[in-house]
Structure formats: structure tokens, C-alpha cells
Amino acid sequence: MIAARLLDVFGSRVLWVSAILLAIAVLVPASNLLLPFGHPLRVPNYMVALLGKYLTYAMLALALDLVWGYVGILSLGHGAFFALGGYAMGMYLMRQIGDRGVYANPVLPDFMVFLNWQELPWYWWGFDRFWFAMLMVMVVPGLLGFVFGWFAFRSRVTGVFLSIITQAMTYALMLAFFRNDMGFGGNNGLTDFKDILGFPLQAPGTRATLFALTAVSLAATLMVCSAITRSRLGKVMVAVRDAESRTRFIGWRPEYVKLFAFVVSAVIAGIAGALYVPQVGIINPGEFAPANSIEVVVWTAIGGRGTLYGPIVGAVLVNYAKTWFTAAYPELWLFALGGLFVAVTLFLPKGIIGTFGEWRVTARTREALMKESAPQPSGEDRGGRVVRAGELPPPGAARPQSVE
């Protein structure tokens, strides 16, 4: 009964992917912490942090897929929500440094002391508490998504115009955060973190725990998004994507459906950014760059938008390729990324997962047609005459009825 209910709410494929992520959340930290150095199955420390970064990118791609794949909103500014969540986490980590900084100021971060700030700005208040920082990780991106979506969707801005506005939003935030007088570290951003909740960030156990939390968060996010898209609201979201005018004419308010999906997506992106910062060790205004948001679109398209787990695959594969290319052929990476996107657009228009699912449906349909056209086994027609396999019944005779 419980298994049937889970299949109905989440779907079998999402449950399988979530189970794989939960297994990874256990196996990778166990391999890193329990196996000795030099063991062929041991995951090294740097790889734990690198894989954790890949999973945060996968969560960001999943957030974009919720609005692009199911509501038809092509956002080119989701990197802004990711960066805001990262800054909220970075502010908490900076407050944890205390008097261990270069200038040994127990209240002001080092960059504020360097810039001759006399007191902590009001918007830094409360970030010395973990629960408050985690609340801001969700509230700040969600509030920005709500305000932006409220005005954009009520004005019925759609298509390429909406995409351009989202890109302008993240570019404006990037320029603002580059300013030293904003109080977020300017060009250098926030870095030199020491610990989180009293645990040193560089310790293998802390890194393994952060990776496990990231994998579990990704699995939970995937299940939440699946529950939304498989519900009645999810059907309305798809209707808004495919025929917004008709959806409005039958009584729904598409702007509210879009706003809900956009805010949820912004919150997911903010959580991904918060998980990203302690594993990478820095957050700066470069995360707001429009190119980063465009890369998220590429990950989602390559994996397969409208599938939820496709963007996860696309984000991990593309970022692994980026890591390899930037080490082996750094000058060729952007050409490789562009070529990969063009190739997928031309030959795999539904992405890797979407095209694979389409092939499976085609194969099943072909198999069913072949079974229907195959010669029937020996039997009797309605007149009692024996009909052998491959033999046609006499003219005027009724064909044997198939048994359901």
C-alpha cells in the first residue's frame, strides 16, 4: 500500500534516482573516511569537495527545469538566486571567524576593517546564528523571485523578453555586489572561512558530511519537484506552458501558477548556493555573471528539460567535462561547450534523458506492432474449421477473436 502510494506521488524513475543519490551520500563519505590512503576504491579529499560542487550545480539545474521544463519560463538569471543563497551562507561563515582574522576584530570581517568601517551594517545582524542564516538562504532568493515574478507575470511579459529581463536582473546584481560600499567584500567577495557549527571546514569529516548533506538535499528536492509536477497543480503548469491563453480562458490564473513555480525554483537555487559555498570556500560577485546562468540552461538542455532527473545528469556530465577540458585543453573548453550544445540541439533535441525515453517508447511501440502483425497460432474459426498457423481463413469466414 505504501509502495503504491509512493509510486503514485513520485514516480518510479524519480524514486530510483533518489535511491541512487542516497546511496552515493553514504558510499562516497564512507570510502573517503574508512578506506586507507592508496586504496584503489578510496575517494580522495579533493574529489569529495569536487563531487559536492557538481551536486550543487545539479540542484541549480533542477531548479531551472521546474520553471523552464514545466512552465515554459526560460530564465537566464537563475545564477542570481544561487549567488544570493551563497552570500547568505558566506556571511554566516564570516561571522564565525571572529578574532581569528588577520586584523583580529571580533565583530567586523577583515575586509570591513581594511575599508575603515566602524560598525557592522544592519543587514549583517543575526548572521552569527546558524538558524537565521539558513532562514535568509531561503527568504532572500524567494523574496527576490516573488517581487520579480509579481511584476513580470502580472504584466504578461513572456518569451524572449522575460529571458532578457532575468539576465538584466543578474547583471545589475553583479555590478552592485562589485562595489566595496555594498558591504559584501567587493571584488574579492567572502572567503577565508574557518569552520561551520564549530567544525573545521578543512577537516575530512566536515567535507564528507557536507557532501552527504548535499546529496540528501538533492534527493529531497527531486522528490518535492516530482510531487509538484505530478499533482493537479503540475498539470496546470504544463497547461500554462503549452497553451497559456486557453488556460486563462477556462478560469485559471497563469500568472499565479508561474509565480508559485518561480518562487519555489528561486528557493531551491538559494539552498544550492548555500551548500556550494562551504565546499568551495569562496563566494564573489562573479557568481552573478550572466554567463553562469546561461551555462545552467546548457546543462538542463543537454540532460533533457521537463524530466527533472535529466538536468541532474546534464549538470554532472558537463561539469566533469569542464574539469577535464580546463586541465588538459583550457583554451578549447568554450568551443567544446558550444559544440556540445549545438550537437545536442541538432541530434538530441530532447536532451540525453528525453531522447533515451523517446527511443524506449518507439521500441515498445514497434514491438507491439510486430506482435499484432505476427501470424496467429492454430485454432478454429467461428464455423469450426481448423485454421493452422499462418493460414488465412476461407473467404466469408469470421476471423478468430483475440483473447484479452
Side-chain angles (χ1 to χ4, degrees):
M1 185 67 179
I2 297 178
R5 179 60 179 169
L6 290 175
L7 288 174
D8 182 59
V9 174
F10 302 112
S12 60
R13 295 179 184 177
V14 167
L15 289 176
W16 274 110
V17 175
S18 300
I20 293 172
L21 289 172
L22 293 177
I24 291 174
V26 175
L27 294 177
V28 171
S31 170
N32 174 255
L33 298 176
L34 300 180
L35 296 180
F37 286 95
H39 195 282
L41 296 180
R42 183 180 184 273
V43 179
N45 293 337
Y46 80 92
M47 185 60 68
V48 173
L50 188 62
L51 292 176
K53 183 177 74 170
Y54 291 167
L55 294 185
T56 61
Y57 287 158
M59 189 181 299
L60 176 58
L62 176 59
L64 177 64
D65 189 40
L66 183 64
V67 293
W68 186 28
Y70 288 90
V71 194
I73 302 172
L74 176 54
S75 171
L76 298 181
H78 256 54
F81 306 123
F82 182 83
L84 287 174
Y87 265 97
M89 171 60 78
M91 292 166 72
Y92 164 76
L93 296 175
M94 290 296 292
R95 293 298 308 274
Q96 298 306 300
I97 296 175
D99 57 4
R100 291 173 294 173
V102 176
Y103 298 100
N105 191 303
V107 177
L108 298 181
D110 285 339
F111 72 88
M112 291 187 182
V113 178
F114 178 78
L115 295 173
N116 295 320
W117 288 59
Q118 300 302 316
E119 59 182 3
L120 195 69
W122 64 267
Y123 45 85
W124 277 74
W125 296 349
F127 279 94
D128 55 337
R129 298 177 178 84
F130 182 77
W131 67 267
F132 181 82
M134 292 303 98
L135 182 63
M136 292 299 103
V137 162
M138 297 181 288
V139 169
V140 174
L143 183 61
L144 176 62
F146 179 82
V147 173
F148 178 87
W150 176 264
F151 289 104
F153 302 142
R154 283 179 62 88
S155 302
R156 300 189 183 182
V157 180
T158 58
V160 66
F161 302 103
L162 181 63
S163 300
I164 293 173
I165 293 175
T166 57
Q167 193 171 59
M169 174 189 67
T170 187
Y171 187 68
L173 287 171
M174 182 187 72
L175 295 179
F177 274 73
F178 264 119
R179 296 169 58 91
N180 287 328
D181 55 4
M182 283 289 290
F184 295 106
N187 183 53
N188 295 324
L190 308 178
T191 187
D192 195 30
F193 309 131
K194 305 298 183 183
D195 51 37
I196 180 171
L197 292 174
F199 298 97
L201 280 175
Q202 300 303 322
T206 307
R207 289 183 175 272
T209 302
L210 288 171
F211 173 85
L213 286 175
T214 304
V216 171
S217 299
L218 179 57
T221 304
L222 177 61
M223 296 178 71
V224 169
C225 291
S226 178
I228 292 174
T229 56
R230 291 173 64 88
S231 66
R232 292 183 179 180
L233 177 59
K235 303 300 186 293
V236 179
M237 289 164 57
V238 174
V240 171
R241 179 196 67 188
D242 295 340
E244 181 175 345
S245 298
R246 293 185 180 182
T247 307
R248 179 178 288 107
F249 291 154
I250 63 176
W252 292 96
R253 298 292 297 271
E255 58 270 22
Y256 292 159
V257 177
K258 289 181 177 182
L259 185 61
F260 169 80
F262 200 74
V263 171
V264 172
S265 178
V267 171
I268 294 172
I271 295 174
L275 292 169
Y276 168 86
V277 169
Q279 297 182 85
V280 175
I282 187 173
I283 180 70
N284 58 40
E287 296 297 335
F288 287 101
N292 291 353
S293 298
I294 295 174
E295 275 198 46
V296 181
V297 174
V298 175
W299 306 338
T300 307
I302 289 175
R305 70 185 183 101
T307 60
L308 293 182
Y309 46 88
I312 296 176
V313 175
V316 174
L317 289 180
V318 173
N319 281 283
Y320 175 79
K322 181 178 182 179
T323 301
W324 185 84
F325 261 98
T326 51
Y329 308 100
E331 68 281 359
L332 298 179
W333 161 241
L334 291 179
F335 296 99
L337 178 63
L340 180 62
F341 184 62
V342 171
V344 169
T345 303
L346 292 177
F347 303 107
L348 302 174
K350 294 187 178 180
I352 296 173
I353 299 299
T355 304
F356 178 72
E358 191 176 54
W359 287 347
R360 288 185 60 186
V361 172
T362 303
R364 290 178 178 177
T365 304
R366 185 182 299 112
E367 183 180 356
L369 291 175
M370 291 178 62
K371 288 182 178 180
E372 290 181 1
S373 61
Q376 297 294 326
S378 300
E380 292 187 356
D381 60 14
R382 291 184 180 179
R385 180 180 178 274
V386 176
V387 180
R388 295 181 176 84
E391 180 183 354
L392 296 175
R399 296 179 180 272
Q401 292 182 333
S402 59
V403 179
E404 295 294 337

